[in-house]
Amino acid sequence: MPTLRFTTALLLTAALLAFGPPESGRAEATGDPLKLTTEFYVDPASSAAAYVRRHPEDTELASRIAAQASARWVGAWSGDVQTGVTAYTTAADKAGKLPVLVTDNLPGRQCGIGGGAASAAAYRTWIAAVSAGIGARPAVVVLEPDALARLDCYPTTEWDGRIALLKYAVGVLAAKNPNTWTYLDAGNVTSGEAKEMARRLRLADVGKIRGFALNTANYFTTDQSVARGNEILQALGGGTHYVVDTSRNGNGSDGSSCNPPSRKLGTPPARTAAPVDLHLWLRTPGESDGPCGLTPTLPTRTFSPLLAHHLLRGT
């Protein structure tokens, strides 16, 4: 596969330029995972990588999607999450690379779609296991997509309990993971008033962690997300940072967040200018958002070459 090797080398070189060389040995607890790593970790077990191993002839998908770093999502489906996260972050650390994780396990998950931890106590135990799996190794973690943005789906009597779980997760990672940048998910450009989102972020103790995340698994343009992020920052009074999911936002949003047609890959993961810390691929392009849109029978997180090639073409 000379094409894949050549393209991968270019990608790795670009990532090194984006991060810069490590300023110190990885054993030092700097509090900045970018100083301990040279590039993002490309998950060899991602759904896109697994597809390429079965279909090595698909060189475009291999070079433009499978060779890029995307986040690993962890939730109720992850089995022994501490063991899994330990193995994942250890492999990345040995390679000197930065892993990205997304947690998705609040009870009931977003708007009660099902799954998630069985109880508040179970969630606290679970997120503590995620934290233990990371330890002092460098990592980026995005906490609970849409948990704050879609609070309105729940009776107001449940809001305090759900925010308390996010606050607990923030506290655990802030206290136990010195080389992790943690971001609370803050929805997308349509997630209500920026002032209200800032209020919810403050209630969940966003000031204890690196900041918040925008556009997770969604399609809004980077410019739209940055404008939204800056509004939230202003409402917070500054003092924090944010990341933007650029995995599938090359053509922007058509209003649907579920496998819409005519979307396109966004810019590759990279460090960017403050106050935006990073552009990340928080969803692996080609993974389904659920049984809807272009793939009406495909479960969430299942990889589809059909979806992937639509994103490659932008059609």
Side-chain angles (χ1 to χ4, degrees):
M1 294 290 295
T3 302
L4 176 56
R5 285 197 297 270
F6 178 70
T7 306
T8 302
L10 289 177
L11 291 169
L12 297 183
T13 300
L16 179 57
L17 290 173
F19 274 36
E23 296 180 14
S24 60
R26 288 183 289 115
E28 182 182 345
T30 67
D32 182 344
L34 301 188
K35 291 182 177 179
L36 304 176
T37 53
T38 57
E39 58 199 49
F40 293 104
Y41 184 54
V42 178
D43 185 358
S46 76
S47 55
Y51 172 81
V52 167
R53 282 193 292 272
R54 297 192 302 272
H55 299 278
E57 73 282 358
D58 198 339
T59 56
E60 184 182 23
L61 193 154
S63 62
R64 296 183 60 195
I65 295 179
Q68 292 286 0
S70 56
R72 176 176 286 194
W73 289 52
V74 291
W77 60 87
S78 299
D80 184 340
V81 74
Q82 182 171 337
T83 298
V85 170
T86 298
Y88 186 61
T89 56
T90 297
D93 190 46
K94 286 180 178 177
K97 300 176 184 179
L98 181 60
V100 181
L101 295 159
V102 178
T103 71
D104 187 18
N105 202 37
L106 277 187
R109 296 171 65 214
Q110 316 92 15
C111 284
I113 63 174
S119 65
Y123 180 78
R124 288 192 292 270
T125 298
W126 183 87
I127 198 66
V130 172
S131 171
I134 297 170
R137 289 179 287 276
V140 167
V141 176
V142 173
L143 289 174
E144 306 301 328
D146 280 338
L148 287 174
R150 305 188 76 178
L151 267 180
D152 309 78
C153 293
Y154 294 88
T156 54
T157 54
E158 296 182 20
W159 285 23
D160 286 350
R162 296 185 73 78
I163 289 175
L165 290 179
L166 293 173
K167 189 173 180 178
Y168 181 85
V170 163
V172 167
L173 272 76
K176 302 292 186 181
N177 305 106
N179 292 316
T180 292
W181 277 356
T182 302
Y183 301 88
L184 267 170
D185 188 81
N188 58 64
V189 302
T190 66
S191 299
E193 293 293 327
K195 288 183 179 179
E196 173 60 16
M197 181 54 67
R199 185 185 75 85
R200 296 179 186 186
L201 287 165
R202 280 194 296 268
L203 288 172
D205 278 351
V206 71
K208 290 184 176 180
I209 54 175
R210 183 69 180 178
F212 57 92
L214 290 170
N215 202 48
T216 302
N218 217 303
Y219 298 85
F220 293 98
T221 67
T222 302
D223 285 347
Q224 288 175 306
S225 297
V226 168
R228 170 70 172 183
N230 290 341
E231 287 179 355
I232 294 173
L233 277 183
Q234 183 176 9
L236 286 168
T240 191
H241 308 259
Y242 61 95
V243 296
V244 176
D245 184 352
T246 62
S247 56
R248 305 176 299 177
N249 71 349
N251 280 347
S253 173
D254 68 353
S256 171
S257 61
C258 208
N259 303 327
S262 302
R263 302 307 96 199
K264 190 177 181 180
L265 295 179
T267 56
R271 186 170 191 169
T272 185
V276 186
D277 279 335
L278 304 165
H279 291 164
L280 298 173
W281 281 16
L282 296 178
R283 176 73 83 195
T284 299
E287 284 188 346
S288 173
D289 297 315
C292 52
L294 288 169
T295 51
T297 62
L298 202 64
T300 305
R301 292 184 305 277
T302 303
F303 186 81
S304 164
L306 171 68
L307 291 176
H309 280 279
H310 272 284
L311 290 166
L312 289 169
R313 297 191 304 267
T315 62

